[in-house]
Amino acid sequence: MGRIIFDTAATINGWIADEHDSLSWLFAVPGGETPDESLIPSGAAVMVEGRTTYEWVLRESDILAHPEKWQEFHGTRPTFVFTHRELPVPEGADIRFVSGSVSEALPGIREAAGEGDIWVVGGGDLAGQFLDAGALDELAISIAPVTLTEGAPLFPRRVESDRLHLEEATAVGQFARLRYTVLPARTAS
């Protein structure tokens, strides 16, 4: 069974999207529009994203009119989208809509991933739900030299240092890359 990884970019002050749910701030950073290969989880067999992320991707690249653009980022991997709404699907994309809790959806996601990793692309609250379910194995953040005044927080959960073990800190272009192993929650005795 592969790992479940929340791998994303964030501003120095912890936002993953601005107040309009846009990532335009990220694409303005040198290397932000075409990320270095080392910033993409290489073992990801499946991608998972929330509705807001999915709708932004469709809108930003006009993917419904240009479905070939879906492959540029998502490839042929199955993509699970957590939503309670009916949403359009780009032609040729393997989109699997799920509603309900992460715990309920996790068996199907793991089955689709096989031995590969599961990449939680966004958003932060969805990644937090994976943490709440005890299913998040790794947190990887590419910190951009940007600050925002409001938006979507990186990880809207309180997580103490006893849950995160720093595995790696490197510079990749203008980004500070941090990779943490997520440790199991301690149980009360």
Side-chain angles (χ1 to χ4, degrees), residues 91-133:
E91 185 179 319
D94 184 356
I95 307 296
R96 303 174 191 192
F97 295 112
V98 292
S99 59
S101 72
V102 165
S103 295
E104 293 168 342
L106 200 51
I109 295 170
R110 285 195 188 279
E111 182 180 331
E115 295 298 315
D117 292 337
I118 298 165
W119 179 8
V120 180
V121 179
D125 185 61
L126 180 59
Q129 292 174 47
F130 275 85
L131 177 83
D132 296 345

Side-chain angles (χ1 to χ4, degrees), residues 16 18 20 29 34-35 57 74 76 92 95 100 105 123 129 132 138 148-151 173 175-177:
I16 58 174
D18 70 16
H20 305 291
V29 177
T34 311
V57 168
H74 292 80
T76 59
I95 307 296
Q129 292 174 47
D132 296 345
E138 185 175 301
L148 298 173
T149 56
E150 60 183 302
F175 294 87
R177 177 75 170 170

Side-chain angles (χ1 to χ4, degrees), residues 8-188:
T8 193
T11 65
I12 290 171
N13 59 340
W15 301 107
I16 58 174
D18 70 16
E19 67 274 15
H20 305 291
D21 293 321
S22 174
L23 300 177
S24 60
W25 61 269
L26 173 61
F27 299 132
V29 177
E33 188 152 337
T34 311
D36 185 284
E37 289 282 326
S38 68
L39 300 178
I40 307 294
S42 62
V46 165
M47 297 174 82
V48 177
E49 52 197 56
R51 177 195 52 83
T52 302
T53 300
Y54 179 72
E55 287 182 319
W56 183 85
V57 168
L58 293 181
R59 220 178 24 253
E60 180 66 18
S61 297
D62 196 16
I63 287 180
L64 294 176
H66 304 281
E68 69 281 359
K69 291 183 178 182
W70 179 263
Q71 306 297 325
E72 291 174 12
F73 180 71
H74 292 80
T76 59
R77 294 178 276 238
T79 300
F80 287 80
V81 178
F82 279 78
T83 185
H84 293 286
R85 298 181 186 174
E86 285 194 31
L87 299 171
V89 175
E91 185 179 319
D94 184 356
I95 307 296
R96 303 174 191 192
F97 295 112
V98 292
S99 59
S101 72
V102 165
S103 295
E104 293 168 342
L106 200 51
I109 295 170
R110 285 195 188 279
E111 182 180 331
E115 295 298 315
D117 292 337
I118 298 165
W119 179 8
V120 180
V121 179
D125 185 61
L126 180 59
Q129 292 174 47
F130 275 85
L131 177 83
D132 296 345
L136 192 62
D137 299 304
E138 185 175 301
L139 174 61
I141 313 160
S142 297
I143 306 293
V146 173
T147 63
L148 298 173
T149 56
E150 60 183 302
L154 168 66
F155 206 69
R157 300 285 189 281
R158 182 178 180 133
V159 181
E160 299 288 335
S161 62
D162 65 337
R163 297 286 315 276
L164 299 172
H165 181 267
L166 181 64
E167 298 292 341
E168 181 178 36
T170 57
V172 180
Q174 284 293 301
F175 294 87
R177 177 75 170 170
L178 305 173
R179 195 172 55 79
Y180 295 90
T181 296
V182 178
L183 303 171
R186 293 186 183 168
T187 56

